Amino acid sequence: MATDTPFPDAGAQATRKRGGGARRTRKAALHLGGIAVSLIVTLLGLIAITFFIGRVVPIDPALAVVGDRAPKAVYEAARVQLGLDKPLIVQFVTYVKAVATGDLGMSVSTGRPVLQDLKEVFPATLEMATLGILIGIALGVPMGVHAAAKQGSLTDQVIRVVGLAGYAIPAFWLGLVGLAVFYARLQWVDGPGRVDIAYDGLVTPVTGLMLVDSLLAGETDIFFNAIGHLALPACILGFFSLAYIARMTRSFMLDQLAQEYITTARVKGLPERVVIWRHAFRPILLPLITVCALSYAALLEGSVMIETIFSWPGIGNYLTVALLNADMAAVLGATLLIGTVFIIINKVSDALYDVLDPRAR
Amino acid sequence: MSAPLLAVENLKVTFPSPSGPVDVVKGISFSLGRERLGIVGESGSGKSMTGRSILGLVRAPGKVSATRLEFDGMDLLKQGEKAMRKIRGARISMVMQDPKFSLNPVMTVGEQIAEALVAHKRLPRREIAARVRAMLEAVRINDPDRVAGLYPHEISGGMGQRVMIAMMLIPEPDILIADEPTSALDVSVQAQVLDIIDDLVRNKGMGLILISHDLNLVAHYCDRVLVMNSGRLVEDCAASELKNAQHPYTRGLLAAQPRLDETRDELPVIDRTTWSAT
């Protein structure tokens, strides 16, 4: 059993898992069912709130379609066509039914189904946000740990100032200065947009992620070009999430380092590196996952400022344009999508909790 | 007697405070051979800090100084961090008060015990597992294979403290510092845990420093007793001589102990005016 491990527990646990296989499967199924139910309930609430807010704001969707110089008859026809003449509750039920069948309605500003729009804009945001959060985690976590381990030192101070800057510097300023320095002057990165105009539309979207699609199509030129375009906005998003992640990591670590079992680890004569990473860092993985998940979710909402400055055709941009055009179907659709992503990320981080924390099992 | 295992002379532990530096240990001296030494004193008397300063674990901003702090011929104050790491665990070890806090909650008991051994000895995995098993048996855990796979929250306080002892004794140190090892335990398991410590320490011929606030307990398990009060040593005597202690603080403590055949209506209160001026 425990031939390749010094700890009998690994073998014992494997046996336990094998023995309770059927029960575990059932438990997992119940768990998934629970997730589905809470997802549906939360989304219903989200739809209701967004829907009714969308209807009570003094914006007339029909007017948005026909313009304010349209004859009354045309305006009325548009109202009927949009279903705005029916009672609010009927409109709501109709909308929920449509959403349940996967129909998010037509966008009046793009003239296309909202679902199709979202399929295009969301991957753009997803690509940037994912890269951003990876940068944020890869740098923020070690920075936070290091700052806590050397509390009060110069390194700690520098890391704290960097973190503070991440909070204090407005996104639009950093975006513009970043473009001016790294694109216009140094030419280290490419400018706004997802790829150079020459490459635009050359890659057939499969996943919608430019990096993946270009590789699938075997277009390495476009792949590297896309990286050049993605680098700066992703780094800026990464910087913002880094600020938060490093700060939280530092405070979690300081909490842990004051614990008695850290003294135990030192009494054992363990090197400081082991004390910090094995004994202090492992327990904070759990809260840290929540922090990273929330930062990721925030980035996935789409950073309107960054997307605007970098002409990034993402969901933040899409939502802003839709809102300004009173395009309620698009606003509702995008809000739903963001809500769903939020809930899924939270559920995934909860599931990771169960896996990582022996106390939660 | 040959040179003692541990020699402490004029040990001071100082912490800064808004009103200037405060000595929590004010220059104490003692020596330890392969014997059982008890340190008693009330909360804040500096007994825990004495234990931690021997291991070099008084964290900044605390400062340790001494005219002599020698272990096995080595000046502990002159050892670098790396040299101290070789002493910690391997040669001087410490059992702490509450296993609820002193065991890492996300590592199994087996992992934590093995870690203490692996930190100082390179051994094949099989050998490590066997030693962990033997050590758990030595602290009288019945089902060592099962317990090694448990997490600290899955075991009782008494068992946790036995695990702690196993962890601290597995590298076979020369000195074990037990810092209030039974204060967090039920009275019924206190004796059990102390018996285990006593047994192992005697069998291996180690030195033991038992830090406690329980006079009887220390008198029972130790050969020699030091009494500390507000950072000073007020009594240093053989455990059997404790009844004849001279210092008013020790006498006060002894007098304040209730007895089974008690006839007093009120227990006396220690009169601190008689020595606190010193």
Side-chain angles (χ1 to χ4, degrees), chain A residues 3-9 13 260-261 263-264 266-271 274 278-279 282-283 358-359 361, chain B residues 52 57 59 85 88-89 94 96 101-102 104-108 111-112 114-115 119-120 125 129 149 151 153 167:
Chain A
T3 43
D4 55 342
T5 160
F7 318 121
D9 77 291
Q13 259 176 19
E260 194 73 351
Y261 55 80
T263 311
T264 307
R266 292 201 171 107
V267 169
K268 285 182 188 175
L270 296 174
V274 177
R278 192 187 296 163
H279 285 271
R282 238 162 82 170
R359 287 163 296 188
R361 270 177 223 146
Chain B
R52 286 181 189 217
L57 284 176
R59 306 292 293 168
R85 275 209 303 273
R88 279 184 212 133
M94 179 163 79
M96 279 170 302
F101 302 113
S102 52
N104 188 322
V106 299
M107 286 170 78
T108 62
E111 276 180 280
Q112 295 189 57
E115 188 185 40
H120 301 287
R125 282 161 176 261
Y151 287 93
H153 70 279
M167 187 157 55

Side-chain angles (χ1 to χ4, degrees), chain A residues 170-194:
Chain A
F172 65 87
W173 185 86
L174 203 60
L176 287 175
V177 170
L179 274 177
V181 174
F182 296 108
Y183 170 56
R185 184 162 295 257
L186 297 171
Q187 305 207 323
W188 288 358
V189 297
D190 293 305
R194 295 183 76 185

Side-chain angles (χ1 to χ4, degrees), chain B residues 39 44 225:
Chain B
I39 303 183
V225 178

Side-chain angles (χ1 to χ4, degrees), chain A residues 115-184:
Chain A
L115 195 65
Q116 199 187 329
D117 281 348
L118 290 178
K119 271 184 191 157
E120 269 170 37
V121 298
F122 186 64
T125 297
L126 183 68
E127 194 165 37
M128 188 157 84
T130 307
L131 210 62
I133 195 72
L134 287 181
I135 294 171
I137 294 172
L139 294 177
V141 171
M143 277 167 74
V145 170
H146 204 71
K150 303 251 151 75
Q151 192 196 1
S153 69
L154 186 67
T155 336
D156 184 22
Q157 305 291 351
V158 169
I159 289 172
R160 276 161 74 184
V161 169
V162 169
L164 209 61
Y167 277 101
I169 298 175
F172 65 87
W173 185 86
L174 203 60
L176 287 175
V177 170
L179 274 177
V181 174
F182 296 108
Y183 170 56

